[in-house]
Amino acid sequence: MPSAVTNSTNGTHPGGKPEERRVINLGAIPKEWILDPALLHELQTPWETSKNNMLALDLPQKSGILTSRELEITGSYTVQSLLKELASGAITSVEVVTAFCKRAAIAHQVTNCLTEIFFDKALERARYVDSERNRGNILGPLHGLPISVKECFHVDSIPTTLGLRAFNGHVATTNSAVVKLLFDQGAVLFCKTNIPQTMMSSDSENYLFGRALNPNNTMLTAGGSSGGEGALVAFRGSPIGVGTDIAGSIRIPSFCCGTYGLRPTVNRVPYGGQQSVSTPGMATISACAGPLANSIDALEIFMKAVINARPAGYDTRAFDLPWRDVSFRAKTTLRIGVVAEDPVFPVHPPVKKALNDAIKMLQSQGHEIVWLASEDCHVAHATMVAWSLMGLDDRADKLVKAGGEDVIYSRVRITEEKDKIDWSYLSAIEEQPTLQRWAALNVKQMEIASDWEKQWQRHRLDAAICFPCQTTAVEHDESGMPPYTQFLNLLDYPACIIPFGKVDSSTADEPFEVKPGQSAPAYNYNNLEGAPCAIQVFTQKMRDEECLQAARVIDWCLHQSP
């Protein structure tokens, strides 16, 4: 069993050997953007096992690396206002890209959130975008905006390794579908972000690049598998990040790091042309691509730009459906279902408190709450079906073995947690040959989806809310299974994370017990104090527009209402 990383700043990994890719990354940051070590002298080490709040240090300000204008661009502007200024020519893409490159460079030095740094190419692209603007050409709705992408996306001439030694040395010769689309809509890509080994863990650690740290508390996970994006966006080192989600990989980093995140319906955002650990053509549970950002507005700007660009022209699997304006359908009050805590997967006190506090605020604003029964929500059963479907494909483990890697400890922990629960729901299925097992699991999936469809109709729900996870961000390698995100992947429901509150002393002394047959990480309040909390909003399949509309209403109620 590999040991945990002891210090994310020294290039060590499980096994203790410094990796060349880490050195290359730091070398890609201009020397004048390297932090003065004196700014970090008060931090406790090693960072991975010490409680350091990198956001509270205000390094972008104190380092002197960003100008006052660059601090304003990265810290005060919204995505909407940036795009307006870029389109009008009041601000140049070079200014905006430079500002976010600097901030991303700082974020990487204290969270290890990046895998590929190509600031020089981004600035070259920004100069081109500005020259087109000077000629009166606006390249698209994302004209001049810097966007970061997860490591798995191909960007022409940039390595795509997935952090796996089996892919080390691979350099992309083309762009993934969504990358090409973003370029065509005027965006400027400037970096790629960190992930876990095989992208099948809630802790973003791999042997090539090491572990991404949570900027709110370096002893806690940044989430996975889009953990680098979560850390970068939380640090305001990127206005919009693009992640992927097959079991919660956009939403988990979002709530761990305190950002907004959207898991769209599969194939509304083009997903094709990525580096993958899956067997080609073996789509057991389909993954999707989607945005992480610091506001609902930014999520919607991304979705509208992508979907109105007719993504089917970039990926034959993508839907050729325009973004629907559902604002005219906005209701004064919403009828909101609440997913019950599943007895197999008990929830930490701060997470439970955040949802309950949100419900009280929603009720105070006149929204109607419908409590859904645990047995009707099928969280545990859906998680088992989804996990069994994903387990039919063993290519990821073969790639790990081919690269001579040990399995990272967070993946070992998932297996340990899986073994704690009762899988008798699928016992007859698991004994069948692979093809028959696949078919039988699909039948279970359809049964669960059918039950959920009946709930929507029976309760006349506009949207539903639930815990984003059993926990907030927890100590590295301790996350376990992701039931409250994964069941929505099985249903293919769009889901949005809304940050809401932090772990505080009100739950410090609340008991938390994991009984036999249950699975959950330990609750260690002293380590988790100050960690971001969140709620998850979801709607039915293909109702992405309604999901964001409901999330907007709920977000306003939680953060802006009197």
Side-chain angles (χ1 to χ4, degrees):
M1 183 179 297
S3 60
V5 180
T6 56
N7 189 338
S8 271
T9 64
N10 67 6
T12 60
H13 304 272
K17 181 181 177 182
E19 292 287 357
E20 182 183 2
R21 292 297 309 155
R22 297 284 299 278
V23 176
I24 291 172
N25 253 358
L26 287 175
I29 298 175
K31 291 181 180 179
E32 60 271 23
W33 296 358
I34 299 296
L35 289 168
D36 183 344
L39 292 171
L40 308 176
H41 77 280
E42 294 183 358
L43 295 175
Q44 299 179 56
T45 58
W47 290 2
E48 288 192 7
T49 55
S50 304
K51 195 174 182 180
N52 298 300
N53 186 334
M54 296 302 187
L55 300 178
L57 292 179
D58 196 15
L59 293 171
Q61 169 74 41
K62 293 178 180 177
S63 67
I65 292 171
L66 280 78
T67 66
S68 59
R69 178 62 168 155
E70 290 165 346
L71 288 169
E72 181 184 21
I73 288 170
T74 57
S76 300
Y77 275 81
T78 65
V79 169
Q80 187 175 28
S81 60
L82 275 176
L83 288 169
K84 182 179 179 181
E85 298 281 82
L86 284 162
S88 70
I91 189 171
T92 67
S93 181
V94 167
E95 288 180 279
V96 176
V97 171
T98 299
F100 279 101
C101 284
K102 286 184 176 182
R103 195 154 182 142
I106 295 171
H108 178 65
Q109 291 173 70
V110 294
T111 67
N112 194 40
C113 56
L114 306 184
T115 56
E116 301 298 338
I117 296 171
F118 42 100
F119 299 158
D120 52 347
K121 292 181 180 293
L123 288 168
E124 181 182 352
R125 162 78 172 171
R127 287 188 286 270
Y128 165 74
V129 169
D130 287 337
S131 68
E132 288 297 303
R133 171 64 188 77
N134 292 338
R135 285 193 283 269
N137 298 328
I138 302 301
L139 298 183
L142 301 175
H143 179 96
L145 186 74
I147 291 180
S148 53
V149 296
K150 190 175 180 177
E151 164 60 27
C152 52
F153 291 102
H154 287 308
V155 180
D156 190 14
S157 77
I158 303 299
T160 313
T161 65
L162 301 188
L164 289 170
R165 287 173 175 161
F167 288 149
N168 197 16
H170 177 274
V171 177
T173 57
T174 186
N175 291 315
S176 292
V178 74
V179 169
K180 186 177 189 305
L181 185 153
L182 292 172
F183 278 136
D184 287 348
Q185 299 310 300
V188 178
L189 274 61
F190 66 113
C191 60
K192 293 170 67 174
T193 52
N194 212 350
I195 58 174
Q197 179 192 67
T198 73
M199 298 195 293
M200 295 181 185
S201 168
S202 296
D203 202 319
S204 292
E205 178 197 22
N206 61 75
Y207 283 90
L208 291 191
F209 300 106
R211 192 194 299 273
L213 302 180
N214 192 319
N216 300 275
N217 180 348
T218 56
M219 76 179 301
L220 303 182
T221 178
S225 60
S226 308
E229 283 297 342
L232 180 64
V233 171
F235 206 89
R236 300 190 71 89
S238 176
I240 297 177
V242 186
T244 64
D245 195 310
I246 195 171
S249 293
I250 290 170
R251 292 160 289 157
I252 294 171
S254 295
F255 75 73
C256 282
C257 296
T259 78
Y260 294 78
L262 177 70
R263 178 227 181 264
T265 302
V266 169
N267 289 328
R268 291 216 73 185
V269 175
Y271 189 83
Q274 294 186 46
Q275 186 78 291
S276 176
V277 296
S278 300
T279 300
M282 193 171 184
T284 52
I285 296 288
S286 294
C288 61
L292 297 84
N294 285 305
S295 71
I296 295 286
D297 283 342
L299 300 181
E300 186 166 335
I301 285 168
F302 174 88
M303 291 298 294
K304 288 176 69 174
V306 170
I307 288 176
N308 286 337
R310 303 195 69 175
Y314 296 84
D315 182 351
T316 56
R317 294 170 297 178
F319 295 116
D320 192 9
L321 296 170
W323 184 259
R324 294 177 293 112
D325 180 6
V326 298
S327 58
F328 67 93
R329 302 179 191 173
K331 299 168 60 176
T332 304
T333 59
L334 297 175
R335 189 170 168 84
I336 303 169
V338 178
V339 174
E341 180 180 21
D342 192 289
V344 177
F345 297 108
V347 176
H348 278 191
V351 179
K352 196 178 297 188
K353 178 180 183 295
L355 187 65
N356 289 336
D357 287 349
I359 290 168
K360 292 175 185 176
M361 294 183 73
L362 290 167
Q363 288 176 319
S364 72
Q365 293 294 314
H367 298 288
E368 191 173 358
I369 298 299
V370 179
W371 300 93
L372 306 178
S374 174
E375 60 269 22
D376 293 333
C377 295
H378 299 291
V379 170
H381 288 167
T383 300
M384 294 176 193
V385 172
W387 207 266
S388 295
L389 281 167
M390 291 169 59
L392 294 172
D393 189 352
D394 63 354
R395 182 171 183 254
D397 288 330
K398 289 179 178 178
L399 287 169
V400 169
K401 185 176 181 180
E405 300 181 4
D406 292 327
V407 176
I408 58 171
Y409 186 47
S410 62
R411 294 181 61 213
V412 174
R413 286 287 296 117
I414 291 173
T415 300
E416 291 174 350
E417 291 300 314
K418 283 171 56 184
D419 291 343
K420 292 180 180 179
I421 65 176
D422 180 5
W423 287 77
S424 59
Y425 173 67
L426 299 179
S427 57
I429 293 175
E430 293 302 316
E431 296 173 359
Q432 299 179 19
T434 301
L435 191 58
Q436 287 84 351
R437 186 161 73 249
W438 191 349
L441 289 168
N442 285 334
V443 170
K444 290 288 189 184
Q445 179 183 26
M446 288 186 286
E447 290 173 352
I448 293 170
S450 177
D451 279 358
W452 261 99
E453 181 60 33
K454 292 173 184 175
Q455 284 206 92
W456 290 104
Q457 295 179 17
R458 180 169 66 251
H459 298 300
R460 296 176 286 107
L461 302 177
D462 296 307
I465 59 176
C466 68
F467 313 111
C469 193
Q470 295 173 267
T471 70
T472 60
V474 291
E475 299 89 344
H476 297 294
D477 301 326
E478 296 301 322
S479 295
M481 300 179 73
Y484 295 99
T485 53
Q486 192 166 32
F487 87 102
L488 295 172
N489 292 86
L490 188 81
L491 294 166
D492 193 16
Y493 283 175
C496 183
I497 294 296
I498 299 176
F500 181 57
K502 294 181 182 295
V503 178
D504 61 30
S505 59
S506 64
T507 60
D509 298 322
E510 286 198 25
F512 180 75
E513 179 184 4
V514 182
K515 299 176 181 177
Q518 294 181 328
S519 169
Y523 176 50
N524 302 309
Y525 167 78
N526 290 333
N527 294 339
L528 308 184
E529 183 182 14
C533 297
I535 65 167
Q536 184 172 205
V537 180
F538 64 93
T539 52
Q540 292 167 282
K541 183 176 181 177
M542 294 300 296
R543 299 296 178 185
D544 304 73
E545 294 89 342
E546 285 83 355
C547 182
L548 279 178
Q549 178 64 29
R552 183 183 299 281
V553 171
I554 293 170
D555 185 52
W556 181 87
C557 182
L558 300 185
H559 295 115
Q560 299 178 44
S561 61

